Amino acid sequence: MTKDVIALTERMPDPWSVLAGLLSGGPDKLVNTAGEDAVVQLCDEEGRPLVSVEAPLLVQVAGEAERLLGATPPPVPFWWTEARATTGVAEAERLAGTFAARLTSLTGGSAWPPEAARSLAVVASEGVGVAPPAEAGTPAVDVLTDKVAVVIQDRPVVAMTAWLADAFRAAAEGGLGLQIVSPAGTTLSPAVRGSLPGWPSRWVVQDERDGYYDGLSGAVLAWQDGMFAPVAAPDSTDEEPRARVAASYQEGVEDSGERQLAVTFRTVHPADDRLVLGGALEAVWRELTGEAPAGWGTAEPANLPWSLRRLTDVAHERAPEPTWVVVVGSPERPGLATVRVSRTKAGVEEEVTLAFGYGAGEEPPVDAVPRAAEVLATRHHLQSMLVQLRKARRDLAVPPRFEGPGVPVAFVLGADEVRAMPGDRARKTPLAEAPVSLGPKTRPALYYPLPGDPSDLSGWQDFERLVRHLKGE
């Protein structure tokens, strides 16, 4: 049974509805709060949490429950309330299910997974105890060692939920890696993939044949010295270490015809109280899809309608600390971006990673890329931009199997970066095609076209030669 149960309700769960749900273990269960009262916990006799309930979230963006849960929610806007049961305690899982069942019966709607929330009866939990928690205040962490924090996620898509974001922060503050464990068949949200730091952090996938493997590299894993670590291949040596590769990772890699157009770029704005953030992302989104983003949020699900002003206000309130947000498109045109806003000596930087998905019969709008680049270069203080075409899923979910690398379509260098290079280095490149000037002739940005053919990886060789040339190597 899943450890997470989610209530999708038509009406906001009021305090009485939440209380009725929390009494799923009987009136003698202890209730506690954590996370500055944003999390309510149902506890055992020792005060240790059995079930942790996140504050209800109003979702005003269509398609998020379908994307992350495969569930059919009430019409937007609806309320999303997550309950997380303590790992390994069957009574805790039943308590979470009954909590969600009671909540949906009182406020309308449904629960995910439906089989977890079928009973309204009090759960017999007398004498049930919980092991001392791994980390007080971080209910998402299931196992904590001196090397890693381990999070178990049994849901269709491992998303950057508020729970998981807390685990990321706790691991970073403790100088630990974060290892996310999920069952076979689960996918990863691009927002989580882009946020996973380096070793020893990894996505750990359960597998019938090999036990566990890394969902991003395929390396077979085993629990060793307080963390999941690769298992050496038979031909591995000290001079050339190699990990075994899971059979499941190498299966189902045929080309389905689906594609992703991936865009990464960085802008640097002068620090100004009148600065409005998110405009660069919106401009690219409009050029490539003909519409603005649908919604955004500081975690998944993205719950707020797209708004430049609200995004700017959140970043301003958090300054000088950085702000991370996720941005999504409409269900008809899958699109997802992450934006990191930070204050630096150069000004206010926006780092954007964006992807759109296309089916086998759809053509990615590669011809619109030059227009998007010019808008960024002339209106949004572009520093650099890389566009790739990938053989990957239309729904943007990251599967636990091999996906070939994308190939570069174009690279763009902002006007300030071009101007800072000595002589004509930026214009005289080793590429077959000369760069195209964007913007004013006296202060242009440069657009470097690249092959962009997913069946031909030589485009990366061209890109690497270009980068080495621009660095003066």
Side-chain angles (χ1 to χ4, degrees):
M1 186 182 293
T2 183
K3 305 301 183 296
D4 297 338
V5 182
I6 301 169
L8 308 171
T9 60
E10 300 169 4
R11 299 183 298 280
M12 179 181 178
D14 57 53
W16 290 109
S17 300
V18 174
L19 179 61
L22 290 172
L23 291 177
S24 57
D28 57 337
K29 281 297 168 195
L30 301 175
V31 176
N32 193 14
T33 61
E36 298 181 351
D37 296 336
V39 177
V40 179
Q41 297 175 324
L42 193 63
C43 303
D44 66 7
E45 287 83 352
E46 301 297 325
R48 293 173 299 214
L50 288 163
V51 177
S52 300
V53 180
E54 187 83 9
L57 180 71
L58 179 62
V59 177
Q60 304 174 66
V61 181
E64 285 297 87
E66 293 87 343
R67 177 176 73 90
L68 298 176
L69 302 176
T72 302
V76 291
F78 63 89
W79 292 89
W80 177 303
T81 306
E82 294 208 14
R84 182 172 176 81
T86 297
T87 304
V89 182
E91 290 82 3
E93 297 173 18
R94 290 196 289 271
L95 284 169
T98 301
F99 167 82
R102 291 184 173 193
L103 203 62
T104 55
S105 70
L106 292 170
T107 56
S110 60
W112 177 91
E115 65 272 13
R118 289 179 175 166
S119 174
L120 300 175
V122 170
V123 177
S125 55
E126 289 76 11
V128 172
V130 183
E135 174 63 34
T138 55
V141 175
D142 294 290
V143 178
L144 190 68
T145 74
D146 60 351
K147 296 178 181 177
V148 297
V150 179
V151 176
I152 299 172
Q153 290 278 279
D154 188 0
R155 48 206 299 172
V157 180
V158 177
M160 187 58 84
T161 61
W163 297 107
L164 192 55
D166 284 343
F168 268 95
R169 282 190 290 270
E173 291 170 1
L176 303 172
L178 183 68
Q179 298 192 334
I180 302 170
V181 181
S182 68
T186 296
T187 60
L188 203 66
S189 164
V192 176
R193 179 180 185 174
S195 299
L196 267 176
W199 181 92
S201 299
R202 61 178 76 244
W203 176 27
V204 182
V205 180
Q206 295 174 324
D207 183 65
E208 289 185 356
R209 286 175 287 183
D210 291 298
Y212 298 92
Y213 70 93
D214 189 306
L216 300 179
S217 72
V220 174
L221 304 172
W223 186 257
Q224 308 172 53
D225 299 324
M227 66 178 181
F228 285 99
V231 175
D235 60 348
S236 178
T237 64
D238 292 339
E239 293 74 23
E240 294 186 28
R242 292 188 181 91
R244 281 177 51 202
V245 178
S248 299
Y249 181 76
Q250 303 172 76
E251 296 172 348
V253 297
E254 64 276 358
D255 185 5
S256 66
E258 294 178 294
R259 295 289 183 269
Q260 290 179 14
L261 188 62
V263 183
T264 56
F265 64 88
R266 181 193 298 264
T267 61
V268 183
H269 310 277
D272 190 315
D273 289 340
R274 296 170 295 177
L275 174 64
V276 176
L277 297 167
L281 173 61
E282 180 177 313
V284 171
W285 208 294
R286 288 187 181 278
E287 288 293 338
L288 298 180
T289 70
E291 60 186 17
W296 72 286
T298 56
E300 291 180 291
N303 65 309
L304 299 170
W306 177 246
S307 168
L308 297 178
R309 173 52 59 190
R310 292 191 70 179
L311 189 156
T312 302
D313 289 344
V314 168
H316 181 75
E317 290 169 3
R318 295 186 176 187
E321 294 299 315
T323 295
W324 181 96
V325 302
V326 60
V327 183
V328 298
S330 64
E332 294 75 24
R333 170 53 57 221
L336 188 143
T338 59
V339 183
R340 182 179 174 84
V341 180
S342 55
R343 182 69 182 269
T344 68
K345 292 181 179 178
V348 179
E349 296 188 6
E350 289 182 279
E351 298 178 65
V352 178
T353 300
L354 165 65
F356 296 106
Y358 302 88
E362 299 175 308
E363 194 68 29
V366 175
D367 57 348
V369 170
R371 297 196 305 271
E374 182 150 27
V375 170
L376 289 180
T378 56
R379 303 179 191 173
H380 296 284
H381 304 280
L382 177 68
Q383 186 178 67
S384 62
M385 174 182 182
L386 176 64
V387 183
Q388 302 175 54
L389 195 60
R390 302 182 61 230
K391 294 180 181 179
R393 293 168 52 140
R394 182 182 188 272
D395 64 6
L396 306 178
V398 181
R401 65 172 184 269
F402 176 77
E403 283 191 319
V407 292
V409 171
F411 177 70
V412 186
L413 203 59
D416 288 344
E417 283 63 38
V418 170
R419 196 172 187 179
M421 288 191 178
D424 288 336
R425 182 189 297 171
R427 294 182 179 279
K428 295 181 178 179
T429 73
L431 301 181
E433 292 188 59
V436 178
S437 295
L438 304 176
K441 293 182 179 180
T442 56
R443 195 171 172 275
L446 292 179
Y447 180 97
Y448 301 89
L450 294 161
D453 181 358
S455 62
D456 183 5
L457 297 182
S458 64
W460 279 115
Q461 299 173 359
D462 291 341
F463 177 66
E464 289 170 1
R465 293 205 325 267
L466 171 63
V467 171
R468 287 198 299 268
H469 169 80
L470 295 175
K471 290 181 176 179
E473 297 176 357

